[in-house]
Amino acid sequence: MKIVTAKKILVANDQIASRNRDRFNRAGVLTVNIVGSPGCGKTTLLEALFAKLGGRVAPAVIEGDLASSIDAERIERLGIPVVQINTMGACHLDASMVAEAVEGIPLDHVKVLVIENVGNLVCTAGFDLGEHLRVVILSVSEGDDKVAKYPTIFRKSDVLVITKTDVLPNSNFQVDRVKEDLRRLAPNARVFLVSALADQGVDELADWIVESAATPR
Ligand SMILES: Nc1nc2c(ncn2[C@@H]2O[C@H](COP(=O)(O)OP(=O)(O)OP(=O)(O)O)[C@@H](O)[C@H]2O)c(=O)[nH]1
Ligand SMILES: [Mg+2]
């Protein structure tokens, strides 16, 4: 009987991820993997962010969900190229899914490819997709203990976006606690505070995306 271990699956994933990254580099496309719990506000943040790009960089999106094309339809309404991946139950995207989805993205006309991963704070941590930057989203309503409780994804991310900051006045969420926990795990990670609905901090995030897209890789 053939037994495939998780380690072998991860090694194979890393090889495909590396090919994806080469492809993005050749096309001059910055690729950002967005991870976070279900409902933390990933798609809403993308909608707000794209409205702020103002033609400075051309975005495209790969949406990952177990089922449905709800999120892809939201992005499509903005006139942005998008491909939906349905994982049929898998709790994360992997590099081969992204390699296939990229076939539907006009890379020659794109400067930033955003991959919205399946809503999950655990499984998404182990799978490199070939992205250049990983952005983890934590919404205020999830609680300020999540960095300490789910360290892997935070350790492996370049940026933490704390979302739904409009909810802060009615919450016991301590931003400083989150920043302290993150500093121990990922001292170089940047932190943005954002409310997509109240339009707070979105400009700063958009500027960071534009700067990152212009940075040589
Ligand atoms: N108060 C507040 N609510 C928000 C904010 N951003 C998103 N929401 C709400 O949070 C809910 C989930 O938002 P989505 O953007 O669909 O979340 P998601 O992370 O993309 O969800 P999945 O793709 O299903 O994992 C919606 O009801 C949003 O209106 C925000 O900045 N403030
Ligand atoms: Mg979404």
Side-chain angles (χ1 to χ4, degrees):
M1 182 200 295
K2 183 177 168 63
I3 299 177
V4 180
T5 63
K7 192 171 176 205
K8 273 197 175 157
I9 291 170
L10 287 175
V11 168
N13 183 77
D14 283 352
Q15 287 168 351
I16 300 168
S18 175
R19 287 205 292 273
N20 287 349
R21 199 172 288 107
D22 288 346
R23 183 159 184 206
F24 300 139
N25 287 340
R26 281 198 306 277
V29 173
L30 173 76
T31 305
V32 183
N33 180 8
I34 308 270
V35 296
S37 300
C40 67
K42 297 179 289 301
T43 313
T44 308
L45 182 60
L46 293 186
E47 290 167 328
L49 200 55
F50 293 151
K52 300 283 187 180
L53 289 178
R56 289 178 291 169
V57 291
V61 177
I62 293 174
E63 284 289 349
D65 282 291
L66 269 69
S68 94
S69 54
I70 294 170
D71 283 359
E73 285 162 22
R74 289 169 64 179
I75 300 299
E76 199 165 46
R77 280 198 282 276
L78 306 175
I80 290 168
V82 59
V83 172
Q84 176 82 54
I85 298 173
N86 280 156
T87 62
M88 315 302 281
C91 55
H92 60 86
L93 295 178
D94 65 35
S96 65
M97 295 177 197
V98 169
E100 198 182 330
V102 163
E103 298 301 326
I105 299 286
L107 279 189
D108 291 348
H109 303 284
V110 168
K111 266 280 165 231
V112 177
L113 174 63
V114 179
I115 304 169
E116 180 183 337
N117 217 315
V118 177
N120 192 302
L121 218 45
V122 181
C123 312
T124 49
F127 287 81
D128 182 9
L129 305 180
E131 72 268 25
H132 298 104
L133 295 168
R134 191 178 290 185
V135 174
V136 60
I137 314 265
L138 174 65
S139 58
V140 167
S141 48
E142 288 166 71
D144 57 14
D145 57 358
K146 294 303 171 290
V147 176
K149 290 179 72 175
Y150 300 85
T152 314
I153 191 84
F154 293 95
R155 190 183 300 118
K156 291 181 163 188
S157 293
D158 304 285
V159 168
L160 166 64
V161 178
I162 300 175
T163 51
K164 308 193 187 179
T165 54
D166 55 295
V167 175
L168 276 173
N170 295 314
S171 133
N172 60 359
F173 188 99
Q174 298 291 321
V175 172
D176 284 347
R177 175 183 182 185
V178 170
K179 285 183 172 173
E180 246 168 62
D181 288 345
L182 184 70
R183 205 167 299 126
R184 273 192 287 275
L185 294 170
N188 297 323
R190 284 190 67 169
V191 180
F192 290 89
L193 271 76
V194 168
S195 167
L197 288 193
D199 190 13
Q200 296 163 353
V202 185
D203 285 291
E204 287 79 358
L205 195 60
D207 290 347
W208 171 77
I209 293 268
V210 172
E211 276 164 33
S212 302
T215 306
R217 289 174 291 280

